[in-house]
Each structure stands twice: as structure tokens, then as C-alpha cells.
Amino acid sequence: GRGSGVIGGHVGHSTIQLKTQRGEFRVAVDGDAAAPALILGNSLGTTLEMWEPQVAAFAGRFRLIRYDTRGHGGSPATPGPYSFDDLGQDVLAVLDALDVERAAFCGISMGGHTGLWLGIHAGSRFSAIAVCNSAAKIGTEQAWDEGAAMVRADGAAGMRALADSAPGRWFTEGFAQTHPAVVLRAQGWIAGTAPEGYAACCEALATSDLRGSLGRIATPTLLLAGASDPVTTVADAQAMQAAIPGARLAVVPASHLSNLEAPQAFDQAVLDFLAGS
């Protein structure tokens, strides 16, 4: 990594290749090792670097664990299709490898859907779950399968084409115009994603529908939505809130990657929720 730990109050970034029972995952750990753990799950086509705006605030209170989802960044790009059973078990394997018995979880989009799976299937391992810019069923099976087939056929060129179209889904037009460097960096994450890893995660999204299981979530849950998100809407978050006992709802002024577009509102909503749960 590029230096490690917290030096003089500044949070350094140390990424490691963590050996787990489910393969070697690229992981970054920041903050006090004695603090309660918080693990962050990235969105489709990004890496753990998507969370950099959150690191200083979150690592001040937590042992902050970020990881590249299977198929992304420096984590295993094993052949697909994947399922959310796979992606959820990967989170548990990362926690096990770090000797973390219980953690809070915060995920965005695909990562948020992983959070729902964890709440349904492994709730006792989590003190709280923040499900951000997500839904219990994201998109349509046909659209995800078509996306998977396209990037498998077109490879790196297909990933670059996705990167070209991503800003319209990920950010409001105003933000994209005023923050071109953020948009460019986000496009780089997609362009650099392994086509097979991306396709295999599309297939996990194609087949996962957790709507009928939300009532099983007993872990304190936050549903965070972007007011301008065209992908996973405020209505999606409201539908989940109606189905998950005691769930809280927060809406921030952003599109789909709300942690990048509205970091202060995002951080405050998540930290307030975690402090109260």
C-alpha cells in the first residue's frame, strides 16, 4: 500500500491482498483497530476507491474496512455467473479473515443489495445495515443479461462504451458539469473493470429478487436514496421501508452515486443512523 494507518490524525490508505476462505480479496483497512468495525461494499463497475470521500469521517469513529467486490479491482475475477449468495458470503469471508465477529455494513447500489442479502441471511453478524441507492430488485433480468452478453462479446471496448454512458446514470447533469474530475475518475473505474467480473455481477443482479424476504431483516436498517436517482428511486427505498420492520429512510440531493455527489449529506445520514442503532 501507499503507507498505512492513521498518522497525526491523517488517515492513510493501505490496501492489502487479504487471503480468505473464498479467495484473495483486495481490502483497505483504516482507523483504530480497537474501534467497532464498519465494512463498505462498492457499486457495480467501481472499486473500493469510490469510498475515499468517506474515509476521513468514517475512520474517525470506526475500524473502516473497504473491499473490492468479486470481479472488480484487485479481487478475484472468477468465471461467472455470480449470485448474491456468492457476494454475501464474500463479505463474511473478509470479516472472518480479519477476525471481525460483528460489524456494521454500508453498501451502495450492488453493494446495498448485498447488504439486504446479509440482513436476510446473516443478520446476527451485523449491528446495522445501510442500504444506499439500491432496491430489493434492481432493473430487469433481460437488461442485465443483455449487458453481460455485450461486455463478454466486446471485452475492454464494451467496458469503455459503458464508461462513456455512465455519467448520465450515476450523476445529475449539474454535478457532472461542475465536477468533471470526479466523473472522469468514476469512468476510469468502469473502463478498468474486468469484463468477465462485470458480466458475472450483472448476472447476479439479473437473478436476485429479495422483495419477498425483506420482512426477515431484524437488523437496524437505513435506506438511503438519491432524490434524483433514475436507477434505484426514492420509491424503491420507500417500498423497502414498508417491508423492513423499523427501517429508516433518508433522501440526499444526488443521483445514483450519492456518496460522491453529496458526500456531506451522505456521511451525516449514515453516521447519524449508525450512532443511533
Side-chain angles (χ1 to χ4, degrees):
R2 299 165 286 164
S4 64
V6 179
I7 305 147
H10 171 71
V11 180
H13 298 296
S14 57
T15 60
I16 55 168
Q17 292 298 129
L18 180 72
K19 290 184 170 63
T20 81
Q21 291 183 327
R22 295 179 53 79
E24 204 171 276
F25 284 77
R26 179 169 170 265
V27 172
V29 184
D30 295 280
D32 184 345
L38 168 62
I39 184 164
L40 305 181
N42 60 292
S43 61
L44 180 69
T46 67
T47 65
L48 61 83
E49 277 76 17
M50 81 168 298
W51 295 109
E52 280 180 3
Q54 280 65 55
V55 171
F58 288 8
R61 299 196 204 179
F62 296 94
R63 181 188 186 195
L64 185 66
I65 303 160
R66 295 172 290 152
Y67 71 100
D68 288 343
T69 297
R70 180 176 296 271
H72 290 68
S75 289
T78 48
Y82 306 159
S83 69
F84 277 86
D85 290 357
D86 294 321
L87 302 185
Q89 293 288 348
D90 288 345
V91 175
L92 301 177
V94 167
L95 293 177
D96 289 345
L98 293 171
D99 293 319
V100 175
E101 281 183 35
R102 204 152 182 262
F105 180 91
C106 174
I108 196 159
S109 193
M110 175 178 70
H113 195 85
T114 302
L116 293 173
W117 186 95
L118 292 166
I120 292 162
H121 296 283
S124 62
R125 295 289 299 269
F126 296 91
S127 57
I129 294 169
V131 176
C132 307
N133 298 88
S134 196
K137 171 76 180 137
I138 303 175
T140 68
E141 187 164 359
Q142 182 184 358
W144 288 121
D145 284 340
E146 287 172 359
M150 186 273 286
V151 296
R152 282 210 178 93
D154 296 349
M159 297 309 299
R160 286 194 297 274
L162 279 175
D164 288 341
S165 66
R169 294 189 301 277
W170 281 5
F171 304 108
T172 61
E173 193 176 345
F175 180 86
Q177 287 172 354
T178 53
H179 295 77
V182 176
V183 175
L184 200 63
R185 190 156 189 238
Q187 288 178 302
W189 294 328
I190 306 189
T193 301
E196 176 59 27
Y198 186 95
C201 284
C202 286
E203 289 167 329
L205 288 158
T207 56
S208 186
D209 184 348
L210 300 177
R211 287 175 292 191
S213 305
L214 295 178
R216 291 164 55 188
I217 298 177
T219 306
T221 303
L222 171 69
L223 304 162
L224 185 148
S228 305
D229 187 346
V231 182
T232 50
T233 62
V234 173
D236 286 325
Q238 291 167 333
M240 290 188 287
Q241 186 188 23
I244 300 171
R248 285 171 55 178
L249 176 68
V251 180
V252 299
S255 183
H256 191 57
L257 294 194
S258 63
N259 70 305
L260 293 175
E261 182 161 345
Q264 287 169 303
F266 182 96
D267 295 2
Q268 185 172 358
V270 173
L271 289 172
D272 284 356
F273 162 69
L274 293 176
S277 57

